[in-house]
Amino acid sequence: MHPHLLLNISILCHFAGISGQYPLVQNVTVTEGGTANLTCRVEYNDNTSLQWSNPAQQTLFFGDKKALRDNRIELVRATSSELTISISDVMLSDEGMYTCSLFTMPVRTAKAYLTVLGVPEKPEIDGLTKPAMEGDHITLTCITQGSKPAADLRWFRNEKEVKGAKEVNASGKTFTVRSSLQLQVDRNDDGVAYTCRVDHVALAQAPQQATEVLEVHYAPRVEIIHSLAVPQEGQYLKLECVSKGNPSPDPVMWTKDGGELPDLDRVIVEGRELTFTSLNKTDNGTYRCEASNHLGTSSAEYVLYVYGESEFPHTTQIKYPNALGQHGTDHALIGGVVAVVVFVTLCLIIVLGRYLARHKGTYLTNEAKGADDAPDADTAIINAEGNHAHAEEKKEYFI
Ligand SMILES: *[C@@H]1O[C@H](CO)[C@@H](O)[C@H](O)[C@H]1NC(C)=O
Ligand SMILES: *[C@@H]1O[C@H](CO)[C@@H](O)[C@H](O)[C@H]1NC(C)=O
Ligand SMILES: *[C@@H]1O[C@H](CO)[C@@H](O)[C@H](O)[C@H]1NC(C)=O
Ligand SMILES: *[C@@H]1O[C@H](CO)[C@@H](O)[C@H](O)[C@H]1NC(C)=O
Ligand SMILES: *[C@@H]1O[C@H](CO)[C@@H](O)[C@H](O)[C@H]1NC(C)=O
Ligand SMILES: *[C@@H]1O[C@H](CO)[C@@H](O)[C@H](O)[C@H]1NC(C)=O
């Protein structure tokens, strides 16, 4: 750099520093539709004029003189040390670099950037089928337009945050933000509220949100609740058929052992309740209740065994046959155990048989011969008896 130029710059700075005669401005951020104040200050000023101009270099105010016809732009204060103007109902197009000029010789300027925030529109949730069927795959999409900078979208399932897939597209100066949530709905989603919330700097105090409540239809599920653990003769027993489905199932149907319920005074059916006022051993049997809606039918069973006074089991550890549908499982378990025992026994017999065969080839061969040679069954027996002596040999091997 040329030494003279350096000197000049330092003199200029020195002079400016002492006099303080230069404009000072600050960047301004305003929300769309709001009002922005643009302030330009000069610490020490003779009566040198100040001016504000917009990003298009148009003069807005020259001192207290309005230069541009725009009702939104007004003078707030004009003194020798300050020129403040306001822009109301700010639009996105107002954004840009504004210049404050101090008409000294040479002219000194300061630049203030006006940032306009785009307010996101109220979000909208799409993609909801009402009602949805249990198992349906649905994609909820939340969209908000007009944000600047791009808004953040967050999903909540009954207040608890869940992760969505966000996508941001620019459209002009603002952004369109979309967030989607993929769900496979089940009965637990029925009545659940999904909320999409917009977080944005222009919504500091009041975040915008949209909420949709899922309605899920599902086939009923039935359960029988009983009032006694050990039903005894003469006791009161209530069986309640609890069914849950959406739409709510039609009235439940009670049957006994696959047929109609016996028509007895002691047995009262009232909606989902089956009541025995006084149990009798003849009430034994499998009680079944069934509920259905247009999506399906479901049933539950209760096996009633009425204990007599004398047979009442005294140990508490006894496993009562009364159970809710689990009786099938118990049978399966016993069957399984029996199958394993039979299998193991068979294996032992085969192993033992092979062992014996290896060590007693002669005996087996002879016996087979007796049977092969015989023209009929009787002879075969005789032949076998003829070979009876060999049985003695067999005994020896077993000892
Ligand atoms: C702008 O300045 C005026 C006058 O000083 C004040 O009343 C108003 O609150 C200011 N507006 C903003 C947005 O700062
Ligand atoms: C500025 O102008 C006013 C009136 O026009 C005058 O009274 C004042 O002395 C001037 N100040 C300076 C520093 O020139
Ligand atoms: C004002 O905004 C402009 C443009 O965004 C930036 O370059 C500058 O550093 C900002 N000035 C201040 C003091 O923040
Ligand atoms: C964003 O742009 C892509 C491709 O340009 C388009 O497929 C997508 O639908 C757009 N998304 C939104 C939210 O507008
Ligand atoms: C059970 O029912 C039978 C026939 O209905 C009746 O004879 C008997 O007295 C009843 N037993 C009890 C304990 O009520
Ligand atoms: C009650 O049930 C038991 C076991 O299922 C059965 O042995 C008995 O005969 C039944 N009694 C009557 C009266 O049905």
Side-chain angles (χ1 to χ4, degrees), residues 233-234 264 266 278-282:
E233 266 188 313
L264 293 171
R266 298 178 290 101
S278 170
L279 284 172
N280 188 306
K281 279 188 97 57
T282 56

Side-chain angles (χ1 to χ4, degrees), residues 25 38 52-55 60 85 87 93-100 110-114:
V25 296
L38 295 175
W52 270 114
S53 53
N54 69 11
L60 302 175
I85 61 169
I87 308 173
S93 55
D94 292 326
E95 180 166 286
M97 198 68 89
Y98 287 72
T99 308
C100 175
K111 292 185 184 298
Y113 197 84
L114 176 67

Side-chain angles (χ1 to χ4, degrees), residues 360-370 383-398:
K360 237 177 68 56
T362 34
Y363 166 70
L364 288 172
T365 317
N366 285 346
E367 195 174 50
K369 253 184 202 160
N383 282 354
E385 278 169 359
N387 287 332
H388 197 257
H390 293 292
E392 303 299 319
E393 273 179 27
K394 186 181 165 190
K395 269 180 193 163
E396 281 171 29
Y397 282 98
F398 273 112

Side-chain angles (χ1 to χ4, degrees), residues 53-249:
S53 53
N54 69 11
Q57 310 297 338
Q58 295 167 306
T59 300
L60 302 175
F61 269 90
F62 182 81
D64 57 3
K65 309 269 184 319
K66 187 167 181 169
L68 189 74
R69 196 185 290 269
D70 186 336
N71 293 337
R72 300 178 304 127
I73 302 173
E74 288 172 39
L75 182 68
V76 175
R77 200 173 296 116
T79 65
S80 73
S81 62
E82 178 186 338
L83 177 60
T84 298
I85 61 169
S86 73
I87 308 173
S88 55
D89 196 15
V90 170
M91 300 183 283
L92 290 165
S93 55
D94 292 326
E95 180 166 286
M97 198 68 89
Y98 287 72
T99 308
C100 175
S101 307
L102 177 66
F103 285 93
T104 45
M105 241 358 175
V107 174
R108 292 189 180 128
T109 61
K111 292 185 184 298
Y113 197 84
L114 176 67
T115 303
V116 181
L117 302 177
V119 184
E121 283 170 18
K122 190 170 166 54
E124 273 176 32
I125 297 177
D126 271 355
L128 193 67
T129 41
K130 255 189 173 180
M133 300 297 147
E134 185 169 40
D136 277 1
H137 289 270
I138 61 171
T139 303
L140 296 181
T141 306
C142 180
I143 299 180
T144 179
Q145 296 181 316
S147 60
K148 179 179 164 301
D152 192 22
L153 289 181
R154 292 163 75 188
W155 282 102
F156 296 86
R157 183 189 191 275
N158 277 350
E159 322 280 304
K160 191 170 174 288
E161 183 155 12
V162 288
K163 195 117 191 76
K166 199 170 80 173
E167 187 189 355
V168 179
N169 279 11
S171 51
K173 282 177 175 278
T174 63
F175 297 90
T176 297
V177 185
R178 183 200 302 250
S179 178
S180 42
L181 199 59
Q182 295 198 341
L183 310 167
Q184 185 179 11
V185 297
D186 64 24
R187 58 189 58 213
N188 298 320
D189 288 313
D190 189 39
V192 165
Y194 278 90
T195 299
C196 170
R197 196 174 90 188
V198 185
D199 281 343
H200 193 261
V201 58
L203 300 171
Q205 263 75 51
Q208 295 259 46
Q209 60 183 46
T211 299
E212 287 285 356
V213 176
L214 293 198
E215 188 189 342
V216 182
H217 278 186
Y218 52 94
R221 200 169 278 173
V222 176
E223 194 188 344
I224 296 174
I225 294 173
H226 54 106
S227 62
L228 288 175
V230 188
Q232 281 179 269
E233 266 188 313
Q235 278 184 327
Y236 170 93
L237 172 68
K238 188 168 89 178
L239 300 182
E240 193 186 343
C241 183
V242 180
S243 64
K244 202 167 180 291
N246 190 16
S248 212

